[in-house]
């Protein structure tokens, strides 16, 4: 009688399932790993707070473990992760985001036997640690403990390799992000008046989705609103420490009646389908998952020209100089006033989105897991 092959067992470690590109990736990819590739996949979180991307994972009966310490920066998490890995005997441990990439790396060093393969995914082209040269030797040590380092774009990998200065490049791999295209293609638009009583079907709606953090740059979009027609409105979806600062800016520029702060929403596909133009204004970006989502609804995407994001948008959507509200304003006007140009960019964006199918992405992750454990 033929012996059945052992099911692959994988643990994803991420600080939380709060709103964000990496969190969305874990939410969308792990059910496919389980249901299509028959991986015994589990997730370990460092906190149970604000886990808005947890429902799909629970619906697919994927086991979720939460650190008892509830503080993502507590070094006690290292020992919780270490004991958890020892107990559950994984084939692959896959970390995402800081400080999980640190805690998992240190835990790997403390394992002496039955050690799984350790993989981390780099989700951004920049972080504050890279502004401080004394962090380089620390990060070189942290990343040296990983068997494979996956980057979500060419720009992400180039920046990381330049920072770490590793001589051995074999462990670096690029796997571009993907989305569930059907969720966006088939989304049902709202009536514009359902979003706000002051809207009608001729209202032009701009939409940006992103946390109010240093990485994102809603302020440039708000400044661009100052010189746009009165029938142009901006929807800002997300939350974060800089939200109030941006609300004050809108009031100072006297555009607060045309800038709507919607907070965190779970109906982004419908919001995008209702909007006329999707904007991604960032100081830096690892990939630009939101750009692909905007493209998938067949709307023109306008994005800041930064590594990672530019790779996704260039040749399909429209790029503008980071922080240049005048150029952004001009781009928006061109799209609004030139229907032929608007349709041309919309079509190119939709065609580009098909390149980023999440099923292709998960297949590449699966192939990498198999390669690492062989």
């Amino acid at each position: 009688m033929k012996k059945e092959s052992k099911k692959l067992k994988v643990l994803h470690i991420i600080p939380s399932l709060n709103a964000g590109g990496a969190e969305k990736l874990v939410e969308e990819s792990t059910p496919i790993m389980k249901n299509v590739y028959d991986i015994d996949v589990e997730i370990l979180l460092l906190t149970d707070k604000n886990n808005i991307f947890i429902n799909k994972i629970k619906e697919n009966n994927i086991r979720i473990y939460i650190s008892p310490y509830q503080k993502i920066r507590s070094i006690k998490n290292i020992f919780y992760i270490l004991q958890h890995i020892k107990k559950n005997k994984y084939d692959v441990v896959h970390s995402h985001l800081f400080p999980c990439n640190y805690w998992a790396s240190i835990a790997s060093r403390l394992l002496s036997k039955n050690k799984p393969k350790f993989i981390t995914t780099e989700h951004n082209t920049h972080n504050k640690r890279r502004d401080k040269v004394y962090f380089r030797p620390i990060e070189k040590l942290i990343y040296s403990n990983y068997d494979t380092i996956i980057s979500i774009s060419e720009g992400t990998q180039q920046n990381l390799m330049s920072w770490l200065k590793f001589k051995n490049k074999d462990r670096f791999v690029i796997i571009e992000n993907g989305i569930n295209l059907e969720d966006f293609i088939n989304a049902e638009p709202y009536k514009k008046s359902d979003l706000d009583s002051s809207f009608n079907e001729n209202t032009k709606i701009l939409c940006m989705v992103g946390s109010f953090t240093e990485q994102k740059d809603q302020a440039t979009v708000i400044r661009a609103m100052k010189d746009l027609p009165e029938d142009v409105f901006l929807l800002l979806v997300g939350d974060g420490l800089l939200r109030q600062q941006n609300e004050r800016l809108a009031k100072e520029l006297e555009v607060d009646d045309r800038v709507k702060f919607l907070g965190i929403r779970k109906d982004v596909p419908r919001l995008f389908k209702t909007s006329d133009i999707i904007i991604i204004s960032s100081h830096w970006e690892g990939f630009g998952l939101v750009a692909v989502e905007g493209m998938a609804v067949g709307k023109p995407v306008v994005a800041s020209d930064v590594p990672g994001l530019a790779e996704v948008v260039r040749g399909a959507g429209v790029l503008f100089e980071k922080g240049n509200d005048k150029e952004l304003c001009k781009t928006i006007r061109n799209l609004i006033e030139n229907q032929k140009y608007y349709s041309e960019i919309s079509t190119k964006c939709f065609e580009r989105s098909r390149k980023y199918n999440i099923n292709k992405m998960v297949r590449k992750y699966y192939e990498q897991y198999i390669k690492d454990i062989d």
Side-chain angles (χ1 to χ4, degrees), residues 10-111:
V10 176
L11 176 68
H12 287 267
I13 306 177
I14 190 167
S16 73
L17 289 170
N18 200 349
E23 294 86 350
K24 185 69 174 174
L25 181 146
V26 171
E27 181 210 31
E28 294 285 353
S29 64
T30 50
I32 299 173
M33 291 180 182
K34 177 183 178 182
N35 299 323
V36 176
Y37 294 97
D38 197 31
I39 297 174
D40 185 3
V41 60
E42 299 180 348
I43 298 171
L44 189 154
L45 307 176
L46 302 186
T47 178
D48 61 3
K49 294 180 176 63
N50 302 317
N51 288 319
I52 67 167
F53 286 150
I54 207 166
N55 290 340
K56 183 180 287 190
I57 292 167
K58 286 183 174 179
E59 288 168 5
N60 284 273
N61 297 314
I62 293 170
R63 288 180 290 277
I64 300 171
Y65 302 91
I66 299 175
S67 169
Y69 303 112
Q70 293 293 317
K71 293 181 180 179
I72 67 172
R73 292 176 183 262
S74 170
I75 62 171
K76 293 179 181 178
N77 287 309
I78 297 168
F79 304 102
Y80 172 71
I81 290 168
L82 178 64
Q83 293 306 314
H84 184 83
I85 292 170
K86 284 182 177 179
K87 180 181 177 182
N88 289 279
K89 299 178 181 177
Y90 297 99
D91 299 297
V92 175
V93 172
H94 189 160
S95 71
H96 305 264
L97 302 179
F98 178 84
C100 284
N101 56 347
Y102 273 49
W103 302 156
S105 170
I106 296 168
S108 76
R109 273 292 179 105
L110 299 175
L111 280 169

Side-chain angles (χ1 to χ4, degrees), residues 292-306:
V292 178
E293 294 173 348
M295 291 175 175
V297 299
K299 299 298 173 71
V301 169
V302 179
S304 50
D305 190 356
V306 295

